[in-house]
Amino acid sequence: MPTLLITGAAVATVDPSGTEHRRGFVVVDDGVVTAVGAGDPPEGATADRVVDGRGHLLTPGFVNTHHHLYQWATRGFAVDAGLFEWLTTLYPVWARLDATDVEAAARAGLARLALTGCTTTTDHHYLHPRGGGDQLAATVEAARTVGLRFAPTRGSMDLGASAGGLPPDSVVETVDAVLAATADAVTRFHDPSPGSMVRIGAAPCSPFSVSPDLLRQTAAQAAELGIRRHTHLAETDDEEEFCARTFGRRPVEVLEDLGWLGPDVWLAHCVHLSDSDIATLARTGTSVAHCPSSNARLGAGIARTRDLLAAGVPVGLGVDGAASSEQGSLADELRQMLYVARAVGGAGAVSARDALRAATAGGAHCLGRADEIGSIEVGKRADLALWDLTGLGHADLDDPVVALVVGPTPPLALSTVEGRVVVEDGQLRTTDVDRAVADLVATRGRVLARE
């Protein structure tokens, strides 16, 4: 693999000390960062490729902690609906998806993430319509094509409408089928080795679409298989009311009762939390995927990110599914995190550097890869993003991190995953974006034509 030397850039390492260099360098060899520091690189340092980073900011590549890639084919539905109405509107549409549809939607969503600085993403794929083909495999192939590090989860639902749940019966599975499919996904795709490009997680959908038995059994299976766990939690008032009515407990209490909290768990949203809930997440080492744009779009509320961070709860950022957050850009979520937190908590609620940390080191923690990605340190994987701050939107902003977070999203001059170029000069170098657009439009037409 070619060696890479980036010189002259401002460098935000996002290491535990928050080290930053106003003008610094990074050396990459065999997909790993081998040197990082201030000023000029060591005398005699050479590389196959040298990038002049003057006027640019180098950050770790962003880590997206929550997504539903299949939803890229169904953007713009139920735009004025809350979560439960939005879901009941879209479930019948999603039930018509097949693996070809999912691959096209995933490729488009992944391309969008790559072009906005993301180098690692998860995907929560919990709909598996009968006769819909191998949809998880379709997302893995799309990620391989685009070149992003991937942490897909084998999602599931077993509580259909006839049993008091929200999804139609046509997209739910039995507990045994879910466990068998999860084990199969791990056998086929999960790679626990250092620098791996694919790691599988287990992800029952939510307390209102799965049974307590499914949650208990997937927790036991995940521990046996050595994989992480993910689910939605405390997203809306409706969910809180459902849990109170069904279990006599708050959503966080339900998960703790079922053995579904811990350092191997990250939860999406966590908007409606009490002080006691936050203390429980901190005590158990459970992480949170904060999705500010989606929560705002659905009117779900504003997560207590300042309180979560102050309590020591690891917080990452997520774009969420494109049907509830049509932007699909993790770069935009940094600004959204800062803005919504300050809207309710004042100017000191969240800083630009808090947002950058959530998008990088925080996300790496959520996905269980903090030892490999999320910061620029010697020995870590070379997942990097180089942002051009020389243009109209940024040139007069003296603080490069503030320019990235508060200014307009800068042009992405370069991004690498495992040292391999994914984006260069704002162009995706791994796959044909025009073809991805054409395939997406065709897919949407097919899906909407199926009645």
Side-chain angles (χ1 to χ4, degrees), residues 424-436:
E424 187 172 12
D425 297 329
Q427 301 296 313
L428 190 62
R429 300 303 189 193
T430 53
T431 193
D432 186 335
V433 173
D434 290 340
R435 174 65 184 273

PDB file of all heavy atoms in Angstrom, residues 424-436:
ATOM      1  N   GLU A 424     -11.434  12.448  -3.161  1.00  0.00           N
ATOM      2  CA  GLU A 424     -10.342  13.356  -3.505  1.00  0.00           C
ATOM      3  C   GLU A 424     -10.906  14.527  -4.286  1.00  0.00           C
ATOM      4  O   GLU A 424     -11.671  14.333  -5.230  1.00  0.00           O
ATOM      5  CB  GLU A 424      -9.280  12.627  -4.336  1.00  0.00           C
ATOM      6  CG  GLU A 424      -8.026  13.448  -4.584  1.00  0.00           C
ATOM      7  CD  GLU A 424      -6.923  12.636  -5.234  1.00  0.00           C
ATOM      8  OE1 GLU A 424      -7.203  11.506  -5.706  1.00  0.00           O
ATOM      9  OE2 GLU A 424      -5.786  13.122  -5.256  1.00  0.00           O
ATOM     10  N   ASP A 425     -10.546  15.725  -3.861  1.00  0.00           N
ATOM     11  CA  ASP A 425     -11.039  16.952  -4.506  1.00  0.00           C
ATOM     12  C   ASP A 425     -12.557  16.961  -4.625  1.00  0.00           C
ATOM     13  O   ASP A 425     -13.131  17.367  -5.642  1.00  0.00           O
ATOM     14  CB  ASP A 425     -10.405  17.124  -5.884  1.00  0.00           C
ATOM     15  CG  ASP A 425      -8.894  17.306  -5.801  1.00  0.00           C
ATOM     16  OD1 ASP A 425      -8.415  17.870  -4.792  1.00  0.00           O
ATOM     17  OD2 ASP A 425      -8.195  16.872  -6.738  1.00  0.00           O
ATOM     18  N   GLY A 426     -13.210  16.487  -3.573  1.00  0.00           N
ATOM     19  CA  GLY A 426     -14.666  16.491  -3.545  1.00  0.00           C
ATOM     20  C   GLY A 426     -15.334  15.442  -4.401  1.00  0.00           C
ATOM     21  O   GLY A 426     -16.564  15.436  -4.526  1.00  0.00           O
ATOM     22  N   GLN A 427     -14.557  14.525  -4.984  1.00  0.00           N
ATOM     23  CA  GLN A 427     -15.096  13.496  -5.866  1.00  0.00           C
ATOM     24  C   GLN A 427     -14.892  12.113  -5.251  1.00  0.00           C
ATOM     25  O   GLN A 427     -13.808  11.803  -4.763  1.00  0.00           O
ATOM     26  CB  GLN A 427     -14.413  13.545  -7.232  1.00  0.00           C
ATOM     27  CG  GLN A 427     -14.563  14.885  -7.949  1.00  0.00           C
ATOM     28  CD  GLN A 427     -15.996  15.205  -8.292  1.00  0.00           C
ATOM     29  OE1 GLN A 427     -16.727  14.357  -8.812  1.00  0.00           O
ATOM     30  NE2 GLN A 427     -16.418  16.435  -8.007  1.00  0.00           N
ATOM     31  N   LEU A 428     -15.919  11.300  -5.309  1.00  0.00           N
ATOM     32  CA  LEU A 428     -15.807   9.925  -4.843  1.00  0.00           C
ATOM     33  C   LEU A 428     -14.995   9.130  -5.847  1.00  0.00           C
ATOM     34  O   LEU A 428     -15.339   9.076  -7.037  1.00  0.00           O
ATOM     35  CB  LEU A 428     -17.207   9.330  -4.683  1.00  0.00           C
ATOM     36  CG  LEU A 428     -17.320   7.981  -3.986  1.00  0.00           C
ATOM     37  CD1 LEU A 428     -16.812   8.061  -2.556  1.00  0.00           C
ATOM     38  CD2 LEU A 428     -18.774   7.512  -3.993  1.00  0.00           C
ATOM     39  N   ARG A 429     -13.908   8.532  -5.392  1.00  0.00           N
ATOM     40  CA  ARG A 429     -12.996   7.824  -6.300  1.00  0.00           C
ATOM     41  C   ARG A 429     -13.237   6.322  -6.360  1.00  0.00           C
ATOM     42  O   ARG A 429     -12.575   5.630  -7.144  1.00  0.00           O
ATOM     43  CB  ARG A 429     -11.552   8.067  -5.863  1.00  0.00           C
ATOM     44  CG  ARG A 429     -11.120   9.528  -5.860  1.00  0.00           C
ATOM     45  CD  ARG A 429     -11.293  10.177  -7.218  1.00  0.00           C
ATOM     46  NE  ARG A 429     -10.697  11.516  -7.281  1.00  0.00           N
ATOM     47  CZ  ARG A 429     -10.918  12.373  -8.258  1.00  0.00           C
ATOM     48  NH1 ARG A 429     -11.702  12.032  -9.265  1.00  0.00           N
ATOM     49  NH2 ARG A 429     -10.346  13.576  -8.241  1.00  0.00           N
ATOM     50  N   THR A 430     -14.173   5.819  -5.586  1.00  0.00           N
ATOM     51  CA  THR A 430     -14.337   4.370  -5.490  1.00  0.00           C
ATOM     52  C   THR A 430     -15.486   3.827  -6.324  1.00  0.00           C
ATOM     53  O   THR A 430     -15.504   2.643  -6.660  1.00  0.00           O
ATOM     54  CB  THR A 430     -14.575   3.972  -4.022  1.00  0.00           C
ATOM     55  OG1 THR A 430     -15.673   4.759  -3.507  1.00  0.00           O
ATOM     56  CG2 THR A 430     -13.329   4.221  -3.184  1.00  0.00           C
ATOM     57  N   THR A 431     -16.454   4.669  -6.618  1.00  0.00           N
ATOM     58  CA  THR A 431     -17.613   4.196  -7.375  1.00  0.00           C
ATOM     59  C   THR A 431     -18.198   5.362  -8.161  1.00  0.00           C
ATOM     60  O   THR A 431     -17.929   6.525  -7.880  1.00  0.00           O
ATOM     61  CB  THR A 431     -18.673   3.585  -6.433  1.00  0.00           C
ATOM     62  OG1 THR A 431     -19.638   2.859  -7.193  1.00  0.00           O
ATOM     63  CG2 THR A 431     -19.367   4.647  -5.600  1.00  0.00           C
ATOM     64  N   ASP A 432     -18.999   5.060  -9.156  1.00  0.00           N
ATOM     65  CA  ASP A 432     -19.574   6.045 -10.059  1.00  0.00           C
ATOM     66  C   ASP A 432     -20.830   6.648  -9.425  1.00  0.00           C
ATOM     67  O   ASP A 432     -21.861   5.974  -9.307  1.00  0.00           O
ATOM     68  CB  ASP A 432     -19.917   5.364 -11.390  1.00  0.00           C
ATOM     69  CG  ASP A 432     -20.395   6.331 -12.461  1.00  0.00           C
ATOM     70  OD1 ASP A 432     -20.916   7.411 -12.108  1.00  0.00           O
ATOM     71  OD2 ASP A 432     -20.255   6.005 -13.647  1.00  0.00           O
ATOM     72  N   VAL A 433     -20.750   7.912  -9.033  1.00  0.00           N
ATOM     73  CA  VAL A 433     -21.887   8.562  -8.375  1.00  0.00           C
ATOM     74  C   VAL A 433     -23.069   8.704  -9.330  1.00  0.00           C
ATOM     75  O   VAL A 433     -24.229   8.512  -8.933  1.00  0.00           O
ATOM     76  CB  VAL A 433     -21.471   9.930  -7.802  1.00  0.00           C
ATOM     77  CG1 VAL A 433     -22.688  10.687  -7.275  1.00  0.00           C
ATOM     78  CG2 VAL A 433     -20.452   9.748  -6.688  1.00  0.00           C
ATOM     79  N   ASP A 434     -22.825   9.030 -10.585  1.00  0.00           N
ATOM     80  CA  ASP A 434     -23.921   9.163 -11.548  1.00  0.00           C
ATOM     81  C   ASP A 434     -24.676   7.851 -11.693  1.00  0.00           C
ATOM     82  O   ASP A 434     -25.917   7.831 -11.793  1.00  0.00           O
ATOM     83  CB  ASP A 434     -23.383   9.612 -12.907  1.00  0.00           C
ATOM     84  CG  ASP A 434     -22.890  11.054 -12.904  1.00  0.00           C
ATOM     85  OD1 ASP A 434     -23.300  11.810 -12.004  1.00  0.00           O
ATOM     86  OD2 ASP A 434     -22.091  11.417 -13.794  1.00  0.00           O
ATOM     87  N   ARG A 435     -23.939   6.746 -11.717  1.00  0.00           N
ATOM     88  CA  ARG A 435     -24.598   5.431 -11.794  1.00  0.00           C
ATOM     89  C   ARG A 435     -25.395   5.158 -10.521  1.00  0.00           C
ATOM     90  O   ARG A 435     -26.513   4.615 -10.580  1.00  0.00           O
ATOM     91  CB  ARG A 435     -23.537   4.346 -12.013  1.00  0.00           C
ATOM     92  CG  ARG A 435     -24.069   2.923 -11.966  1.00  0.00           C
ATOM     93  CD  ARG A 435     -25.049   2.632 -13.111  1.00  0.00           C
ATOM     94  NE  ARG A 435     -25.614   1.307 -13.009  1.00  0.00           N
ATOM     95  CZ  ARG A 435     -25.039   0.209 -13.510  1.00  0.00           C
ATOM     96  NH1 ARG A 435     -23.861   0.301 -14.125  1.00  0.00           N
ATOM     97  NH2 ARG A 435     -25.610  -0.958 -13.403  1.00  0.00           N
ATOM     98  N   ALA A 436     -24.843   5.552  -9.385  1.00  0.00           N
ATOM     99  CA  ALA A 436     -25.556   5.353  -8.128  1.00  0.00           C
ATOM    100  C   ALA A 436     -26.868   6.131  -8.119  1.00  0.00           C
ATOM    101  O   ALA A 436     -27.908   5.633  -7.654  1.00  0.00           O
ATOM    102  CB  ALA A 436     -24.681   5.783  -6.949  1.00  0.00           C
TER     103      ALA A 436
END
